[in-house]
């Protein structure tokens, strides 16, 4: 029996770019879609939020002189592009999916509707939430926290490059140690880069657990079914 029955998977846009560092690597996209499809076919409800950093980042654009709100608007459109790419990849895996955008852009994708999202998840469709919250200055981490709560998910599965949360960056500090579990408050007080502070605070206020794990082949299903392979952030 699965540890979690309905999850929201948060992927970074950069993960889709692979070693290229920009754009979408078709093989990585296919591999991720295969993992998500396998989990969905096992009976777990899957919602998805993908960042847009592989295409454009509002923060980076503003650092170059662009208005931050304008740059964030472009970043939100980037997440829609990633969502549509993932939808196509899931189609090829035989899994029904629906892309919902916080910004109206029918007929490219649906406008976000909380009740419809819950209905779709209950019927076994993968729901891909895109365009962030629809507002500038909020990250896709905040979008993931908000949509997980709205769509009645049990946990946010945050995919990263390492196998959980450490006291420091394990790539830079070989003495860093991993937490099996940690409180929201400690994540914030230690300044650990799990999700941005606003997202962690929203999860804390609504008791939405965050499970941080390494996105390598086979890990997503194991993490959801067994509830291990990473670090759980909770009360």
């Amino acid at each position: 029996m699965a540890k979690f029955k309905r999850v929201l998977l948060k992927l970074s846009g950069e993960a889709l770019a692979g070693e290229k560092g920009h754009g979408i690597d078709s093989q990585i996209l296919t591999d991720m879609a295969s993992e998500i499809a396998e989990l969905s076919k096992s009976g777990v409800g899957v919602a998805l939020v993908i960042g847009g950093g592989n295409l454009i980042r509002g923060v980076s654009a503003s650092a170059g002189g662009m208005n931050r709100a304008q740059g964030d608007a472009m970043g939100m459109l980037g997440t829609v592009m990633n969502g549509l790419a993932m939808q196509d990849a899931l189609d090829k895996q035989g899994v029904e999916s629906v892309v919902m955008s916080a910004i109206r852009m029918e007929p490219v994708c649906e406008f976000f509707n909380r009740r419809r999202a819950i209905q779709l998840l209950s019927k076994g469709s993968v729901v891909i939430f895109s365009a962030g919250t629809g507002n500038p200055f909020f990250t896709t981490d905040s979008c993931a926290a908000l949509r997980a709560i709205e769509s009645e998910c049990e946990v946010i599965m945050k995919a990263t490059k390492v196998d959980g949360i450490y006291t420091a960056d394990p790539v830079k500090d070989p003495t860093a140690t991993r937490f099996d579990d940690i409180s929201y408050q400690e994540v914030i007080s230690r300044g650990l880069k799990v999700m941005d502070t606003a997202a962690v605070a929203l999860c804390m206020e609504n008791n939405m657990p965050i499970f941080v794990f390494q996105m390598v082949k086979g890990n997503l299903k194991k993490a959801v079914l067994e509830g291990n392979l990473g670090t759980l952030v909770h009360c």
Side-chain angles (χ1 to χ4, degrees):
M1 181 176 291
K3 176 78 172 179
F4 305 111
K5 299 287 182 61
R6 181 180 296 171
V7 304
L8 185 141
L9 175 62
K10 170 61 170 65
L11 295 171
S12 69
E14 289 91 335
L16 293 182
E19 294 182 359
K20 294 189 297 184
H22 189 76
I24 298 173
D25 184 304
S26 59
Q27 188 57 56
I28 289 176
L29 180 67
T30 298
D31 291 345
M32 286 186 174
S34 176
E35 293 267 318
I36 294 166
E38 186 178 4
L39 185 60
S40 177
K41 290 174 182 178
S42 74
V44 176
V46 183
L48 185 61
V49 170
I50 309 173
N54 57 318
L55 301 175
I56 185 170
R57 278 184 175 278
V59 173
S60 300
S62 65
M66 181 178 289
N67 177 276
R68 172 63 189 275
Q70 194 81 341
D72 281 354
M74 294 170 67
M76 285 186 268
L77 295 179
T79 71
V80 177
M81 294 169 68
N82 283 338
L84 292 171
M86 181 60 74
Q87 183 181 44
D88 181 72
L90 288 170
D91 283 347
K92 292 177 172 63
Q93 297 291 330
V95 171
E96 182 181 339
S97 63
V98 174
V99 179
M100 287 191 167
S101 169
I103 301 170
R104 284 195 177 277
M105 53 182 71
E106 299 95 340
V108 173
C109 53
E110 295 189 18
F111 186 57
F112 171 71
N113 180 297
R114 182 187 68 85
R115 290 172 61 86
R116 175 155 164 75
I118 292 172
Q119 291 170 355
L120 287 166
L121 288 166
S122 297
K123 293 177 180 178
S125 296
V126 173
V127 180
I128 304 168
F129 297 118
S130 64
T133 65
N135 302 290
F137 306 103
F138 288 91
T139 66
T140 49
D141 280 347
S142 290
C143 169
L146 179 63
R147 298 297 186 234
I149 294 162
E150 289 180 306
S151 58
E152 301 176 0
C153 291
E154 295 176 70
V155 65
I156 296 172
M157 307 293 295
K158 175 69 184 285
T160 65
K161 295 179 181 178
V162 294
D163 61 342
I165 301 172
Y166 284 76
T167 52
D169 186 342
V171 177
K172 299 177 181 178
D173 184 354
T175 66
T177 56
R178 187 173 71 87
F179 296 97
D180 288 327
D181 66 281
I182 188 172
S183 69
Y184 303 107
Q185 194 60 57
E186 190 170 1
V187 167
I188 294 172
S189 63
R190 282 176 172 263
L192 299 175
K193 304 300 182 184
V194 180
M195 301 175 84
D196 67 69
T197 304
V200 176
L202 184 58
C203 288
M204 180 169 64
E205 290 170 6
N206 292 274
N207 196 25
M208 174 59 65
I210 307 165
F211 192 84
V212 181
F213 72 106
Q214 187 175 25
M215 188 63 172
V216 296
K217 190 174 178 62
N219 265 13
L220 175 59
K221 189 174 180 181
K222 286 181 181 177
V224 172
L225 296 183
E226 301 170 16
N228 55 21
L229 299 177
T231 302
L232 183 67
V233 184
H234 58 108
C235 289

